[in-house]
Amino acid sequence: MKIAIIGSTGQLGTDLVKALSAKHDVIGLTHQDLEVTDYNSCLVLKKDRPDIIVNTAAFHKTDQCEDEPLRAFSVNAVGARNIATVSTEIKATAIFISTDYVFDGSKKEPYTEEDAPNPLNTYGISKLAGELFTKQSPKHYVLRVSSLFGVAGASGKGGNFVETMITRAKKNESLSVVNDTWMTPTYTKDAARVMQEIIEKRLPFGVYHASNQGPCTWFQFAQEIMRLARLNPTLKPIETSQQQTKARRPTFSALRSTKLPTYGIQTREWKEALADYLLEKGHLNRTSLA
Ligand SMILES: NC(=O)c1ccc[n+]([C@@H]2O[C@H](COP(=O)([O-])OP(=O)(O)OC[C@H]3O[C@@H](n4cnc5c(N)ncnc54)[C@H](OP(=O)(O)O)[C@@H]3O)[C@@H](O)[C@H]2O)c1
């Protein structure tokens, strides 16, 4: 299959290119190659006529989205609409990457594909709008992921949580991390594999949750990073209310898929994925894991 990946040098985009290139003709599109907010720029896709268009582009600095709602909607919603329109025109499948932040957190247990979204912040609202626009394309997948970490680091966020924690621990900074906000850390390599399986097994179009397994708090995530990387900083659990942030965030946004296992697609526990990531990044070696 011919697969175009928008945001190909981003954190998830990098692993998608790696995962899909082995078996498919992958066209990587950077921000310089294509601007999702500009329909005319998206027409470049008509030249290559891919079978599948994966849109990883996003404005995903959650707090900044509150200050710049027009930009959030332009990239996350209008961008998705432009890609859905072009996909429809060339009869391609549109794949949109969405987020756990479409949920409000009131469920207090992992959200499945059947749960109703109710985003609390501008980022989540704009991504939900992006989902709805994507669904206008007759052939579409919406893949929701959460708290991504990948070797490339998020270009839109300037890295990822794992690297931030390790860098700060190595500088002997004491770390205060929220212990009452739950999510599912997700390795982009694993999310890319899930997408590959969805595409290759030709799953029915629709929404899928593509996170790793198991909820944890950001503090528990940080603890495991330090344990595996054998770092010993002062690590303090704090409450979300002790942090002033512009955007409201769901206090529980872990994801779980009820659909993927029925097609034989399983993801591993986040701790296992984290160990693999740390190995790949060179933060630990195989003997220290044994
Ligand atoms: N990171 C997370 O924790 C997280 C959690 C849940 C969901 N998600 C979703 O997962 C997706 C991938 O996230 P990521 O961490 O891989 O992000 P990322 O590293 O910031 O990658 C996004 C890519 O899209 C490009 N891009 C940004 N704006 C664009 C535009 N207007 N037109 C075309 N390309 C544009 C970026 O290029 P430049 O950097 O050159 O602008 C970058 O290559 C996003 O849709 C995000 O909403 C992320």
Side-chain angles (χ1 to χ4, degrees):
M1 278 182 277
K2 199 186 257 194
I3 304 173
I5 296 171
I6 298 167
S8 58
T9 50
Q11 186 168 225
L12 178 59
T14 300
D15 279 335
L16 283 171
V17 171
K18 264 191 231 162
L20 296 168
S21 293
K23 284 200 199 158
H24 305 280
D25 178 6
V26 170
I27 305 153
L29 296 161
T30 66
H31 201 165
Q32 279 183 330
D33 299 322
L34 184 154
E35 170 56 61
V36 289
T37 62
D38 174 5
Y39 176 74
N40 287 326
S41 168
C42 297
L43 292 178
V44 72
L45 289 160
K46 288 195 169 181
K47 234 179 34 203
D48 291 311
R49 298 192 80 83
D51 304 296
I52 297 174
I53 303 171
V54 184
N55 178 13
T56 76
F59 176 41
H60 55 105
K61 283 187 172 157
T62 308
D63 291 317
Q64 220 172 305
C65 285
E66 298 302 320
D67 292 326
E68 299 181 68
L70 284 180
R71 182 173 165 200
F73 270 80
S74 180
V75 180
N76 301 335
V78 176
R81 183 180 187 272
N82 288 336
I83 298 307
T85 305
V86 174
S87 301
T88 306
E89 285 165 359
I90 61 171
K91 298 188 169 49
T93 298
I95 303 185
F96 180 67
I97 309 302
S98 193
T99 169
D100 53 327
Y101 278 13
V102 297
F103 296 112
D104 64 14
S106 59
K107 188 179 173 196
K108 302 289 175 219
E109 56 182 278
Y111 283 90
T112 71
E113 292 92 345
E114 288 76 31
D115 289 312
N118 183 33
L120 298 178
N121 56 46
T122 304
Y123 169 63
I125 295 168
S126 66
K127 292 292 284 189
L128 181 59
E131 290 190 7
L132 296 173
F133 280 130
T134 303
K135 288 177 180 177
Q136 291 189 324
S137 172
K139 299 194 283 178
H140 68 265
Y141 294 110
V142 169
L143 255 70
R144 294 194 187 121
V145 295
S146 59
S147 312
L148 293 179
F149 55 94
V151 285
S155 52
K157 283 186 173 165
N160 63 43
F161 181 80
V162 183
E163 294 307 312
T164 304
M165 287 295 112
I166 289 176
T167 305
R168 292 187 55 195
K170 284 185 174 167
K171 285 188 200 158
N172 289 322
E173 288 182 30
S174 71
L175 307 171
S176 300
V177 184
V178 290
N179 198 24
D180 57 354
T181 297
W182 297 76
M183 44 80 209
T184 309
T186 298
Y187 189 11
T188 48
K189 192 165 103 177
D190 291 7
R193 188 189 55 77
V194 169
M195 186 187 295
Q196 181 180 3
E197 290 201 62
I198 288 174
I199 291 170
E200 291 175 358
K201 292 183 173 177
R202 297 181 190 272
L203 261 53
F205 296 122
V207 177
Y208 292 91
H209 286 184
S211 65
N212 281 115
Q213 297 284 330
C216 69
T217 68
W218 287 99
F219 174 75
Q220 291 168 343
F221 187 25
Q223 264 186 322
E224 185 64 5
I225 295 164
M226 296 309 150
R227 191 187 72 78
L228 287 168
R230 299 185 177 200
L231 295 166
N232 198 17
T234 306
L235 183 58
K236 204 172 93 186
I238 58 166
E239 289 183 9
T240 308
S241 58
Q242 290 174 260
Q243 275 190 334
Q244 292 297 320
T245 58
K246 271 252 157 101
R248 280 176 73 205
R249 288 169 168 76
T251 52
F252 193 104
S253 62
L255 300 178
R256 179 171 79 83
S257 179
T258 49
K259 290 164 83 180
L260 293 175
T262 65
Y263 299 99
I265 303 172
Q266 301 281 358
T267 52
R268 51 189 172 165
E269 290 287 324
W270 67 265
K271 284 186 183 179
E272 205 186 316
L274 174 63
D276 194 11
Y277 167 87
L278 293 171
L279 272 174
E280 199 173 340
K281 275 298 261 188
H283 291 304
L284 74 166
N285 54 44
R286 286 200 188 276
T287 42
S288 59
L289 259 186

